[in-house]
Amino acid sequence: MPEAIPSYPFERSRYLGSVSRVTPLSVRVNFPFATEVAPSQYAGHRVTRGQVGEFVVIESYGSAIIGRITEIQLPDRDRLSVEPERNEGEELANPIGTIRLLGSVDVNSSHSSRGIGEAPRVGDYVYLAHPDFVRYAIVTQGTRDGLVDLGHLSGAPETRIALPPISIFGRHCAVLGSTGGGKSWSTARLVEEVARRKGKVILLDPTGEYQTLDEEGVVHVHLGGGRDGAQDKRNFVSFPYHHLTEMDLFAFLQPSPGVQAPKLRDAIQSLKLTFLEPGLAEPGSSRLIKRFKEKRPINAALVQHDKTLHAPSARFNIEDLVHQVFNECVYPQGADGYWGDRHPQSYDSCVTLCMRIATHLKSAHLAPVFAPPAYMTDLTEVIMRFVDDPVTSVLRVSMRYLAFEHHTRELVVNAIGRYLLGQARNGKFQKTPLVVAIDEAHQFLSKSVGDDNNRILLDAFGLIAKEGRKYGLNCLLATQRPRDIPEDVLSQIGMFIVHRLINERDQAVVINASGILDATTAAFLPSLRDGEALIVCADSIMPLPIMMTAPRHRPRLEQDVERTWMNP
């Protein structure tokens, strides 16, 4: 049995006018009552007589065609009729308007569709859409059971809008909007909803503003930073260097392609080998001496451990990397089956590389990567404990203290995404799906870092968007610069929550990616209020303006800059 329509769509009390012109995408309508000073009330609902942004239904052959008013105007001959200083007796205004056609609902079967079976005819009646009818019509057949309360229909506080979690996170979600439009509020709201349903979400927080999250089952950790005295009980974590790929390390250390890059590659491999075969190393260290040494046992060990050496997160002792680079600077051929003496030219060429390595190892800013203190826990261990813990639902990783130098943030976040995707491919999230939420996503996608010889593309979250869903790994991307997100990533997004967007390039990107939003509807984006958003999702027949419900714990920076300026 089809679900009954909650309200009759063609109530005479909601009559607006009649169709006077029809095109494939829109209709022109006479709005004879549009100049009324104040809206009326009927059955507890506000009834306007024709305003830009209102949803309407057109009565046509047993179906209700849904549209939205995009323009109201007076013909030039009537434009002075609305002037209050004029006393022209019975002269009446004759407003006309344009309605963008969005979808339709079959009144008999109650089936809603993005398509329109038959175009409206000239003379068809137009009615103001009842809020309950709009709520019914926005979600396509088969997904009526709303579970996540998002907010209320703009202009109708009594009409709550809710969607199933699968509609939001089933095919990834993007929260877009200029600064101050409510992007962070919506992100926090969605994270809270995941926590309330005992789901799993990892929130990567670049600025620390989500430190206000105080739901049951929320764990906060800080990537980088240091303790502020013995009373500081915050949980600090590191992302050790062995989780970085060779190309990540090359982007940090920038070896030249001639001599330095091959020697650095050999040095890392040698240190990984001695971690597995300590007997090959120099006593008291992990350094592998090659000068005048026999090749056969080392080559045999390389063959034996080949798979482990090239596995992700293969361990080695980076403190010996400088010495090992110099140990690689030998002639490849000495006596039969042995390495030769030191190669002076190679040795001299690697001096600048080793100076950079030493500088990175001593840098306080890079300590969470290259020299984490004992009180810092490996973030990957924290993630695995979080995934296996049935009590905790949200893991917030604050990157407020993680340095910007040497593209540290971009490389580390990309490596975190790559680690999560690797775990997903191994089936870690099949039983308990994981949402990874990343704020300021434009900083970490569609970028390449490193010099011309050691450039690495930050593609981990792009790969998650493309293939993570089948492994139970979904993403929530929040950004104020949609134009900096790759189009092939946005094309994988199933739900857009679009707050105020002023930049035309940002609007164009969203139009192309969503498949539902068009230029006419996007024209409303610059004028959205704080907290108001257009909801565009795969299960919705049309973009819907919603006043998002504020999160229970609103995001706020740890240092309230505004309060500082207000109270110097």
Side-chain angles (χ1 to χ4, degrees):
M1 292 290 293
E3 182 181 349
I5 296 177
S7 62
Y8 186 64
F10 313 126
E11 295 178 354
R12 186 64 186 174
S13 60
R14 307 181 75 85
Y15 175 78
L16 296 179
S18 57
V19 175
S20 62
R21 180 185 175 188
V22 180
T23 70
L25 298 178
S26 62
V27 296
R28 180 169 292 182
V29 177
N30 299 318
F31 287 113
F33 312 110
T35 56
E36 290 187 1
V37 177
S40 60
Q41 293 282 333
Y42 180 78
H45 292 279
R46 181 173 177 264
V47 180
T48 62
R49 293 304 186 181
Q51 290 184 195
V52 170
E54 293 281 5
F55 285 97
V56 301
V57 289
I58 303 172
E59 187 176 9
S60 177
Y61 289 114
S63 67
I65 298 175
I66 305 171
R68 194 178 188 193
I69 301 174
T70 59
E71 182 183 22
I72 296 285
Q73 64 175 340
L74 284 172
D76 285 344
R77 66 178 182 274
D78 296 334
R79 59 188 175 84
L80 294 179
S81 62
V82 293
E83 290 297 325
E85 300 300 324
R86 287 178 57 87
N87 253 331
E88 299 294 338
E90 295 298 321
E91 184 176 358
L92 299 176
N94 298 284
I96 56 176
T98 302
I99 294 174
R100 176 70 168 88
L101 303 179
L102 300 173
S104 61
V105 176
D106 189 298
V107 177
N108 296 318
S109 66
S110 303
H111 179 77
S112 58
S113 169
R114 291 178 188 164
I116 298 173
E118 292 191 36
R121 299 177 305 166
V122 171
D124 282 348
Y125 292 167
V126 180
Y127 301 85
L128 180 67
H130 193 286
D132 290 339
F133 180 77
V134 173
R135 179 176 59 184
Y136 170 87
I138 60 170
V139 180
T140 54
Q141 199 77 14
T143 55
R144 304 272 186 212
D145 297 327
L147 296 175
V148 179
D149 183 83
L150 296 177
H152 64 77
L153 188 67
S154 295
E158 70 282 0
T159 303
R160 307 298 301 179
I161 303 297
L163 293 174
I166 191 66
S167 298
I168 302 174
F169 300 114
R171 193 168 167 258
H172 311 303
C173 178
V175 182
L176 314 175
S178 303
T179 301
K183 168 178 62 68
S184 297
W185 280 25
S186 294
T187 302
R189 172 69 179 174
L190 293 178
V191 170
E192 288 178 348
E193 287 298 307
V194 173
R196 191 165 69 86
R197 286 164 178 75
K198 305 302 180 184
K200 291 285 186 181
V201 57
I202 295 177
L203 172 59
L204 301 180
D205 182 5
T207 60
E209 64 178 321
Y210 296 95
Q211 46 91 25
T212 55
L213 283 173
D214 195 24
E215 297 289 311
E216 183 181 356
V218 177
V219 175
H220 300 266
V221 298
H222 299 268
L223 183 53
R227 296 194 184 279
D228 188 15
Q231 302 301 318
D232 192 346
K233 302 301 182 183
R234 290 177 296 175
N235 189 0
F236 291 93
V237 297
S238 63
F239 194 81
Y241 57 88
H242 58 263
H243 296 305
L244 302 176
T245 64
E246 180 183 281
M247 289 308 301
D248 292 335
L249 291 170
F250 276 35
F252 269 115
L253 302 176
Q254 301 179 25
S256 61
V259 175
Q260 294 181 358
K263 296 304 180 185
L264 178 59
R265 184 175 293 110
D266 291 343
I268 293 173
Q269 180 177 257
S270 295
L271 292 176
K272 289 180 179 180
L273 184 63
T274 57
F275 187 88
L276 298 172
E277 292 279 356
L280 298 174
E282 180 183 4
S285 74
S286 63
R287 306 169 195 167
L288 178 63
I289 303 297
K290 289 189 173 181
R291 185 185 181 197
F292 301 139
K293 294 293 184 180
E294 186 180 6
K295 293 182 178 181
R296 185 171 57 182
I298 296 175
N299 289 338
L302 288 173
V303 172
Q304 178 184 353
H305 298 291
D306 180 71
K307 185 176 181 180
T308 306
L309 289 171
H310 293 91
S313 301
R315 290 179 176 269
F316 67 99
N317 185 2
I318 201 170
E319 293 179 358
D320 285 329
L321 185 57
V322 170
H323 291 90
Q324 189 58 46
V325 169
F326 286 133
N327 286 343
E328 303 293 334
C329 297
V330 296
Y331 286 99
Q333 298 296 332
D336 189 23
Y338 287 77
W339 276 286
D341 199 355
R342 175 183 295 172
H343 192 292
Q345 290 82 7
S346 297
Y347 189 95
D348 293 343
S349 297
C350 289
V351 170
T352 55
L353 169 63
C354 291
M355 291 174 62
R356 286 196 296 274
I357 296 173
T359 300
H360 280 58
L361 297 183
K362 295 177 181 178
S363 170
H365 298 297
L366 301 178
V369 177
F370 293 112
Y375 60 79
M376 287 188 177
T377 309
D378 187 333
L379 177 59
T380 63
E381 297 177 7
V382 174
I383 289 175
M384 286 300 98
R385 288 200 299 267
F386 163 73
V387 171
D388 295 332
D389 186 354
V391 177
T392 57
S393 297
V394 179
L395 173 63
R396 182 185 75 96
V397 182
S398 172
M399 296 181 289
R400 180 177 175 232
Y401 302 110
L402 192 62
F404 288 91
E405 288 87 345
H406 309 291
H407 303 289
T408 304
R409 283 196 174 199
E410 294 94 329
L411 289 169
V412 168
V413 170
N414 191 64
I416 293 172
R418 186 171 55 240
Y419 174 80
L420 292 173
L421 182 58
Q423 294 297 319
R425 287 169 173 166
N426 292 331
K428 188 67 178 179
F429 311 127
Q430 290 288 3
K431 293 183 178 179
T432 305
L434 175 69
V435 176
V436 54
I438 177 169
D439 198 9
E440 306 295 341
H442 59 276
Q443 297 181 11
F444 310 106
L445 282 83
S446 186
K447 293 182 64 176
S448 57
V449 299
D451 60 20
D452 292 338
N453 299 313
N454 302 288
R455 191 166 299 281
I456 179 173
L457 179 64
L458 306 178
D459 61 351
F461 283 93
L463 292 174
I464 290 176
K466 294 174 185 176
E467 59 174 294
R469 183 168 61 98
K470 62 185 177 185
Y471 300 119
L473 179 61
N474 298 305
C475 61
L476 167 60
L477 305 178
T479 179
Q480 55 188 296
R481 295 173 63 90
R483 62 185 180 274
D484 289 341
I485 304 296
E487 289 189 15
D488 60 338
V489 173
L490 285 178
S491 66
Q492 303 298 319
I493 301 298
M495 178 168 179
F496 293 86
I497 300 177
V498 190
H499 289 274
R500 183 169 58 244
L501 279 178
I502 300 174
N503 187 283
E504 292 183 357
R505 289 176 55 199
D506 288 332
Q507 297 174 20
V509 167
V510 178
I511 290 172
N512 292 334
S514 68
I516 302 175
L517 196 65
D518 58 21
T520 304
T521 308
F524 290 95
L525 292 177
S527 59
L528 293 179
R529 296 167 290 173
D530 292 352
E532 187 178 17
L534 279 180
I535 304 298
V536 184
C537 70
D539 290 329
S540 173
I541 70 169
M542 59 188 178
L544 192 71
I546 291 179
M547 181 58 68
M548 296 291 292
T549 299
R552 289 177 286 277
H553 306 283
R554 300 179 180 182
R556 179 178 56 82
L557 295 176
E558 293 183 33
Q559 294 179 346
D560 195 331
V561 178
E562 182 178 352
R563 186 176 301 172
T564 301
W565 284 109
M566 295 288 289
N567 302 288

